[in-house]
Amino acid sequence: MKSRDLESHLANARKTIEAERTQLRRQEAKARKRERQQQAHAQRAITARVKNLVATRDRLASVTADLAAATTGHVDRSDLEIAAQQIVDLEKRMATATDRHRALSGQYSELSERFESLVTDYNKAVRRVNEMSRDRQKLRPVIDAWDTLAGRLANSVPAGQLSPGDREIVRSWAKWKAGRDRLLKAGQ
């Protein structure tokens, strides 16, 4: 029995060792692959940098040669005069654009201030409308009661028998009712 247990234990140990070796081989392969990728990336970066340096050196040599040729050779004055005239024209256009920019900046500042003022006024108006709406809701029962009482007064007695104060109340009520009816008809 002991030899079977030992053989079983030995077989299990061999499997474990083999699994660990396989895992180590895989990790080593991954590490080698990662190292190759890093080397390839570094090589590409170095190659790109060298190409950039060579191109910069070539441009510098070309510009240096052009500069040397321009300073040692005969200078065509007509090109310089045209360039000078273009510079003067560009300076004038720049001055005009600068003046225009200043004017537009001033207009923008004025419009910004007007906008801020309008926003302030609008906010005040909104607050006032909200206050009036609250007041209207508070006064609604009083107005409804006045409407009822004035209507009863108008319908209770013929117009000739009303006192002058009552006639004024009935006239005001009739005008108010006509205006209310027009608003209701208009859908407000």
Side-chain angles (χ1 to χ4, degrees):
M1 278 285 204
K2 288 186 176 181
S3 82
R4 271 192 184 174
D5 286 340
L6 285 175
E7 287 176 11
S8 169
H9 189 60
L10 185 59
N12 287 338
R14 285 181 183 150
K15 286 180 186 177
T16 303
I17 291 170
E18 186 58 34
E20 287 181 11
R21 285 181 181 165
T22 303
Q23 185 177 6
L24 283 174
R25 283 192 296 268
R26 285 182 186 155
Q27 289 176 352
E28 288 172 357
K30 284 181 183 179
R32 283 191 303 272
K33 182 179 178 182
R34 190 173 28 245
E35 187 177 328
R36 282 192 307 270
Q37 288 174 342
Q38 289 173 348
Q39 286 176 352
H41 177 70
Q43 190 174 10
R44 284 192 301 271
I46 291 169
T47 303
R49 181 71 176 143
V50 167
K51 285 181 182 179
N52 188 18
L53 288 173
V54 168
T56 303
R57 184 196 67 200
D58 292 344
R59 283 195 307 267
L60 180 61
S62 173
V63 168
T64 304
D66 290 345
L67 181 61
T71 56
T72 59
H74 174 68
V75 177
D76 185 8
R77 289 300 220 190
S78 62
D79 288 342
L80 291 176
E81 290 171 3
I82 292 171
Q85 185 59 43
Q86 288 176 342
I87 290 172
V88 169
D89 291 343
L90 288 173
E91 286 175 343
K92 288 179 184 176
R93 288 174 58 193
M94 183 67 170
T96 303
T98 301
D99 292 342
R100 181 75 176 134
H101 179 265
R102 281 190 195 117
L104 290 174
S105 294
Q107 289 176 356
Y108 173 78
S109 297
E110 289 174 15
L111 288 174
S112 292
E113 290 171 6
R114 283 180 56 197
F115 176 74
E116 289 176 16
S117 174
L118 287 172
V119 167
T120 302
D121 291 346
Y122 173 78
N123 289 337
K124 287 179 184 176
V126 166
R127 282 192 297 276
R128 185 65 184 135
V129 165
N130 288 337
E131 290 171 5
M132 291 171 69
S133 177
R134 283 190 297 272
D135 291 347
R136 182 179 179 188
Q137 289 173 355
K138 290 177 185 176
L139 294 174
R140 189 82 209 153
V142 174
I143 293 170
D144 290 342
W146 178 79
D147 179 30
T148 303
L149 291 174
R152 286 182 188 168
L153 179 63
N155 294 329
S156 67
V157 181
Q161 296 178 358
L162 292 173
S163 70
D166 289 344
R167 274 189 287 232
E168 184 62 33
I169 291 171
V170 170
R171 262 196 303 276
S172 296
W173 174 77
K175 285 181 187 177
W176 175 81
K177 185 177 176 195
R180 182 191 64 184
D181 292 345
R182 275 194 308 274
L183 288 176
L184 289 175
K185 229 181 213 184
Q188 292 184 355

